[in-house]
Amino acid sequence: MRAVLLLFACLVLSGCGLVALPFRVTGDVIQVVPVIGKPIGAPIHAVGDAID
């Protein structure tokens, strides 16, 4: 079961998904900041979407 989950994780995170992950995580973390988080975090998160 562990091998199947590892294989699935590798397939999901391969290629563009692996490159886009830091942008998505950073955008989500920044969006938590009150007042300025939403306008600053949205473009960063959009970069991750554009990479995919």
Side-chain angles (χ1 to χ4, degrees), residues 8-9 52:
F8 180 72
D52 271 346

Side-chain angles (χ1 to χ4, degrees), residues 24-43:
R24 290 186 177 175
V25 170
T26 304
D28 289 340
V29 168
I30 290 174
Q31 285 182 352
V32 175
V33 176
V35 181
I36 62 167
K38 193 78 162 173
I40 294 173

Side-chain angles (χ1 to χ4, degrees), residues 11-25:
L11 289 174
V12 170
L13 294 176
S14 66
C16 297
L18 187 61
V19 175
L21 184 66
F23 291 102
R24 290 186 177 175
V25 170

